[in-house]
Amino acid sequence: MKLLNEKNITFINELRVFLYVIFIIANVLFHHDSFGLESVLLKKEKDIYNLGFNLEILEDKTKKLTFDQVNSPEYENKFITSKDKIPVFGMSNSVFWIKFDLENISHPSNEWLISFQQVWCDYLDLYKKINGKWEVIKTGDRRTFDTREVNNRNFVFKVRPGKKSTYYMRVQSNDGIQIPLKLYSASSFSEEESFTMLGFGLFYGIMLVMILYNLFVFLSTRSISYLYYIFYISSYTLINMATNGLGFQFLYPEWVWFQNEGFLCRASLIVLALILFTRKYLGVDDSTPRINKVLRFYNIGAVLFFMSSFFPFYKNVLGPFYLFMVVGLFYLIFIGIYKFRMNYRPAKYYLLAFTFFIGGAIIKIGQINGILPPWFIFINAFQIGGVFEVVLLSLGLADIINSLL
């Protein structure tokens, strides 16, 4: 009798396991959503969510799919779950459809903001359901700035998730595609933006002070070096404003061309300004004919690249321009080393300034690629290096003027 009971118990346990396996298989086959992507659950103790791992992505290589098609049962199982915190697709001619679910289960805030944290994206559309109807917000930097739902340098959208709410996003760009999506409560977004704008304010405030200071010195001394330096700082400031989106937000919100194709225009100006400034700052003249000849060639090259930015073929010259810029930067450093070895005192300021500038650029690249953590000092390394650069170059200019007195 005891043996029979043990056999019954064993049989019952085996039956339970069998039924459990059948249940799992049935759910996988007939209820795919139960084991699909989970909703982002909004809880009262958390105000900021990285959405990368909660995204489903559909690549449309034809660029012809409509929202109604993507939202239909036919395409429901064609989305692929993201495996990255920030999905990156690089340069692509495809359109990418993004799908994600939000569900507010206990957070007191009803107002949330989805932030697409990339300045350059040609076309970006968000589809959200309001009062039972799908509505779309179409924006992107190929559209004027007033198409944005929130006045912000990034692409920010308002949402009010309650019970399970589904959102779709259409992404199309020639600038290199990545999906850096974050969700903020209204209060946390305001706090983070205030801190970020404080950092920007300090940086651009220093740049403005340096421009005004050097303008005052130029008017007092009539030294052309200061005028070239003002040109350089202004160009450097402008390219930074374009890079972090503040230029499009505040300076040229209707000028779509300058935000996009204007990159070559802005970059050519900064190269031209830097070469003109270097020639005067390091005393490059007929006493160093070979160096002088190369810098004259670079002056002409920068002007030609600037002019090409206004023609439709400008993208074909971006590769040569990058090479032109990198080789030119190393050549300027070579000139600085040469002058330093010739005991030309301002050269030490020049070399030290560019050490901070290049170091800041390397740190920023490392942070973008995930090698360094997203700390404030690493995120803003390029701007911090730029501040040290302009201050050191100003000290070098002052040293030149003092040596002439």
Side-chain angles (χ1 to χ4, degrees):
M1 191 73 176
K2 183 182 274 188
L3 182 61
L4 184 61
N5 287 336
E6 288 177 355
K7 287 183 178 180
N8 287 339
I9 292 172
T10 301
F11 172 77
I12 291 171
N13 288 334
E14 290 176 348
L15 182 61
R16 284 176 178 173
V17 171
F18 175 77
L19 292 174
Y20 182 73
V21 171
I22 293 298
F23 174 78
I24 292 175
I25 294 173
N27 269 279
V28 170
L29 293 176
F30 302 108
H31 300 283
H32 175 265
D33 289 345
S34 300
F35 287 85
L37 191 67
E38 293 184 357
S39 299
V40 180
L41 302 179
L42 311 183
K43 302 176 182 180
K44 62 181 179 180
E45 66 272 10
K46 190 173 182 180
D47 291 318
I48 302 175
Y49 298 82
N50 285 299
L51 301 183
F53 293 113
N54 297 90
L55 303 177
E56 287 186 312
I57 302 170
L58 171 65
E59 182 178 2
D60 173 18
K61 294 182 179 181
T62 67
K63 298 189 286 189
K64 294 181 179 180
L65 291 179
T66 65
F67 172 69
D68 289 336
Q69 288 176 303
V70 170
N71 189 37
S72 68
E74 179 185 354
Y75 284 88
E76 185 175 358
N77 294 327
K78 294 184 179 182
F79 282 83
I80 298 174
T81 303
S82 168
K83 297 179 181 179
D84 302 300
K85 185 177 181 180
I86 299 178
V88 177
F89 303 99
M91 304 298 291
S92 175
N93 291 321
S94 299
V95 168
F96 291 87
W97 288 90
I98 315 300
K99 179 183 177 183
F100 55 96
D101 298 326
L102 307 178
E103 185 175 354
N104 192 342
I105 59 174
S106 61
H107 202 286
S109 177
N110 292 322
E111 297 181 0
W112 292 79
L113 296 164
I114 298 172
S115 178
F116 187 93
Q117 299 183 311
Q118 182 180 352
V119 171
W120 278 291
C121 182
D122 291 348
Y123 301 101
L124 184 65
D125 307 336
L126 178 75
Y127 293 81
K128 56 183 178 180
K129 196 173 270 189
I130 300 177
N131 297 325
K133 294 183 178 180
W134 285 103
E135 295 191 6
V136 59
I137 298 169
K138 295 187 176 185
T139 185
D141 66 4
R142 290 285 175 181
R143 297 173 173 128
T144 56
F145 194 85
D146 59 9
T147 59
R148 306 192 185 195
E149 189 176 22
V150 177
N151 184 20
N152 190 268
R153 68 190 187 283
N154 293 320
F155 303 100
V156 182
F157 304 91
K158 298 177 182 177
V159 293
R160 298 175 65 90
K163 294 182 179 179
K164 186 176 179 181
S165 304
T166 301
Y167 300 89
Y168 289 86
M169 188 173 279
R170 183 183 185 276
V171 182
Q172 180 181 2
S173 185
N174 291 321
D175 297 311
I177 296 177
Q178 54 180 301
I179 316 294
L181 280 178
K182 274 190 175 183
L183 179 70
Y184 294 85
S185 66
S187 59
S188 65
F189 182 81
S190 178
E191 290 173 7
E192 185 166 300
E193 276 298 295
S194 296
F195 181 73
T196 301
M197 292 305 292
L198 175 61
F200 284 141
L202 289 172
F203 171 73
Y204 291 113
I206 292 171
M207 294 296 110
L208 179 59
V209 167
M210 297 307 298
I211 289 171
L212 295 176
Y213 165 75
N214 285 281
L215 178 61
F216 174 77
V217 177
F218 166 72
L219 294 174
S220 301
T221 64
R222 300 294 175 179
S223 172
I224 196 67
S225 297
Y226 283 96
L227 190 60
Y228 288 152
Y229 190 45
I230 293 168
F231 180 27
Y232 172 66
I233 300 175
S234 301
S235 301
Y236 177 73
T237 302
L238 180 62
I239 205 166
N240 269 280
M241 292 192 74
T243 301
N244 54 45
L246 294 175
F248 198 33
Q249 183 178 5
F250 294 110
L251 298 183
Y252 42 89
E254 303 293 320
W255 200 2
V256 172
W257 177 89
F258 195 65
Q259 176 65 9
N260 291 275
E261 286 79 3
F263 166 76
L264 184 58
C265 172
R266 296 186 298 268
S268 301
L269 284 177
I270 197 171
V271 171
L272 178 62
L274 182 56
I275 294 168
L276 292 171
F277 170 71
T278 298
R279 290 185 66 192
K280 286 295 180 181
Y281 186 91
L282 293 180
V284 176
D285 51 29
D286 292 335
S287 62
T288 52
R290 291 183 179 178
I291 295 176
N292 198 28
K293 187 176 181 180
V294 173
L295 289 188
R296 286 183 184 278
F297 164 78
Y298 260 85
N299 276 343
I300 296 171
V303 171
L304 291 176
F305 278 118
F306 173 78
M307 293 172 62
S308 68
S309 67
F310 296 94
F311 292 91
F313 59 78
Y314 88 99
K315 284 190 176 182
N316 297 325
V317 301
L318 282 177
F321 174 74
Y322 291 142
L323 180 62
F324 174 84
M325 188 167 56
V326 171
V327 173
L329 180 60
F330 279 104
Y331 189 71
L332 293 179
I333 294 172
F334 161 76
I335 298 172
I337 295 172
Y338 173 78
K339 283 290 188 175
F340 179 74
R341 295 184 65 181
M342 297 291 291
N343 296 319
Y344 185 69
R345 281 195 356 179
K348 66 181 180 182
Y349 292 103
Y350 187 88
L351 290 173
L352 191 58
F354 274 93
T355 298
F356 277 101
F357 177 76
I358 295 171
I362 292 172
I363 291 172
K364 178 61 179 176
I365 292 170
Q367 185 271 317
I368 291 174
N369 288 280
I371 300 172
L372 297 172
W375 297 348
F376 177 83
I377 191 170
F378 295 150
I379 292 173
N380 298 285
F382 187 61
Q383 285 82 7
I384 293 171
V387 168
F388 279 101
E389 180 200 22
V390 298
V391 171
L392 286 166
L393 290 176
S394 292
L395 292 174
L397 281 174
D399 187 58
I400 294 172
I401 297 298
N402 290 333
S403 66
L404 297 176
L405 297 178

